[in-house]
Amino acid sequence: ATFNDPIAIDAWTKFHEYINDAQLLVQNRFGTVINEQGVEGIKGILFDTHGYAGTDWHPDGGSFIQWGYRLGKDTLDQQAHCPVDSDLTDSSTRGTFTHARNLVGESLECLVRGPKSLGQRFNDQLPVATATDVLCGAGLPSLDYQDPNVVSTDPEYCADGDGICHYYSGGFDVELHERMGWVEPLSGIHMNAVQAELPRCIRFADGTSSNRDVVHADVANKLSIALCSFMYDLFGPNANTC
């Protein structure tokens, strides 16, 4: 994306250095834990937020928060892979949560779309304040909406002419920074990462600044509860991550 432009390269490098610096602060404050595979990971989560238009889902934009774990719709297809771990038996690098999914008592299936997944933890706090769309903020995937492959082709949710709506499965940043050695990708201590694509009904609310402030405050509170409770269950009450 830098097109070999020196100024763009410098900006790109500094952006990723800032992320790594923040990760180091979390590591130094909260420490690390070794999972059952002997992999060391930081007691924390890299939470990467984006926004999507979602006009293929609905003319006014989609409703779902799309949680991305670098697992495509094919991998999350319950007809082919249930639990989702069954598609990853030969790989320790596919998907995010490469550290968390091997902690004692955990599995990728439960972490991604179980009752204690981030998507479901947010769902359990719905509706979003002042939202006229009762589906606004619902998690995909989550326990309520487990299979992006099914939901994204269901005309109840997807209004696209070809009958297939786009699911954002997680991008470059969560892949690059799930290891602390980001200059040499896939090296160093792990840090569990997740991407959240926020819908227009959260980002813009009803278009007025007063309503947008209310929605943003409410969503920030709900996200903090979801993330903090997730880390509490993942790392234990003594980790003091929140």
Side-chain angles (χ1 to χ4, degrees):
T2 62
F3 299 101
N4 291 319
D5 180 89
I7 296 175
I9 291 172
D10 183 61
W12 184 92
T13 302
K14 282 185 168 57
F15 171 77
H16 290 289
E17 287 177 342
Y18 290 146
I19 294 174
N20 191 245
D21 287 345
Q23 291 176 289
L24 286 170
L25 289 174
V26 175
Q27 178 183 346
N28 292 336
R29 179 170 180 180
F30 300 108
T32 61
V33 60
I34 307 294
N35 69 15
E36 290 187 303
Q37 300 297 318
V39 175
E40 185 177 10
I42 297 171
K43 295 178 181 177
I45 291 178
L46 188 153
F47 182 55
D48 185 27
T49 57
H50 296 259
Y52 73 105
T55 51
D56 52 339
W57 292 84
H58 188 277
D60 294 330
S63 302
F64 292 101
I65 295 178
Q66 298 189 16
W67 296 89
Y69 303 95
R70 288 201 305 113
L71 301 170
K73 288 192 292 185
D74 289 344
T75 298
L76 292 169
D77 182 352
Q78 289 182 307
Q79 296 299 312
H81 308 292
C82 188
V84 67
D85 307 70
S86 67
D87 190 38
L88 306 173
T89 53
D90 61 346
S91 174
S92 61
T93 59
R94 283 182 56 199
T96 63
F97 288 173
T98 53
H99 174 259
R101 68 195 190 205
N102 287 310
L103 287 172
V104 176
E106 300 295 347
S107 72
L108 192 58
E109 175 73 18
C110 291
L111 291 169
V112 167
R113 56 186 174 201
K116 294 184 178 181
S117 63
L118 286 165
Q120 190 59 40
R121 288 172 193 263
F122 195 91
N123 289 0
D124 290 342
Q125 302 175 72
L126 293 176
V128 170
T130 75
T132 55
D133 177 5
V134 295
L135 198 62
C136 180
L140 183 68
S142 63
L143 183 66
D144 293 336
Y145 303 95
Q146 297 181 20
D147 192 336
N149 194 51
V150 170
V151 175
S152 65
T153 57
D154 186 337
E156 180 179 351
Y157 309 110
C158 175
D160 196 61
D162 66 4
I164 303 174
C165 286
H166 187 74
Y167 165 66
Y168 292 90
S169 60
F172 181 75
D173 291 344
V174 292
E175 178 180 8
L176 190 66
H177 290 286
E178 208 190 4
R179 303 297 203 287
M180 293 301 286
W182 72 272
V183 178
E184 298 179 18
L186 302 181
S187 68
I189 295 173
H190 291 222
M191 186 172 191
N192 299 297
V194 61
Q195 176 179 300
E197 289 279 350
L198 303 181
R200 292 174 60 89
C201 61
I202 286 177
R203 290 155 50 226
F204 303 117
D206 68 357
T208 64
S209 59
S210 58
N211 184 257
R212 189 163 56 243
D213 290 345
V214 172
V215 170
H216 287 181
D218 182 55
V219 169
N221 184 61
K222 286 175 166 57
L223 284 173
S224 67
I225 292 171
L227 287 161
C228 284
S229 62
F230 183 86
M231 288 190 289
Y232 182 95
D233 287 345
L234 200 60
F235 302 120
N238 295 325
N240 296 317
T241 47
C242 289

